[in-house]
Amino acid sequence: MLHYAVKVAVSAGLIVAISEIARRSSGVAALLAALPLTSVLAFVWLYVEGQPTEAIATLSGQIFWLVLPSLVLFVALPWLLRQGVGFWAALALAMGLTAGAYAVLRPLLRHLGVEL
């Protein structure tokens, strides 16, 4: 149980730290948020838990392909906000567009022989 508590504390601490840093410097917070820290933490947790390195390699490759449609959020959200769309509506629309990008990418990758 301590192992899970440590995982939760470290992961949550990272999110809280980034949001607090954003109050002082959005550039530094953006840099930290852009780093694949969540993925790195997942790799570390899997390795510490004794998962084979092949499983970690597979996860890493799958994350690569799934990062691509997630970029839609980071293009759509600022654009919508700058167009005067309210925050919650812009966030919902950007998330919907991102979900659409995932829906398009999955069959495309399957057609190209990439398994997720």
Side-chain angles (χ1 to χ4, degrees):
M1 187 56 80
L2 178 61
H3 177 71
Y4 291 111
V6 169
K7 286 170 61 172
V8 169
V10 169
S11 302
L14 181 62
I15 294 167
V16 170
I18 291 170
S19 67
E20 288 300 314
I21 291 168
R23 291 180 185 203
R24 295 175 200 89
S25 173
S26 61
V28 173
L31 174 63
L32 290 173
L35 294 172
L37 297 173
T38 305
S39 299
V40 169
L41 283 174
F43 302 150
V44 169
W45 299 141
L46 288 170
Y47 183 77
V48 167
E49 293 169 357
Q51 292 296 313
T53 55
E54 181 55 36
I56 297 168
T58 298
L59 176 62
S60 180
Q62 291 173 335
I63 289 170
F64 168 78
W65 290 109
L66 293 174
V67 161
L68 298 176
S70 73
L71 297 176
V72 170
L73 178 84
F74 301 105
V75 172
L77 182 61
W79 184 81
L80 289 165
L81 291 171
R82 289 183 179 121
Q83 298 308 307
V85 177
F87 173 76
W88 293 111
L91 184 59
L93 285 168
M95 289 173 63
L97 290 168
T98 302
Y102 280 114
V104 168
L105 184 70
R106 296 278 317 242
L108 176 63
L109 289 176
R110 201 172 306 121
H111 176 72
L112 296 172
V114 176
E115 292 296 322
L116 297 179

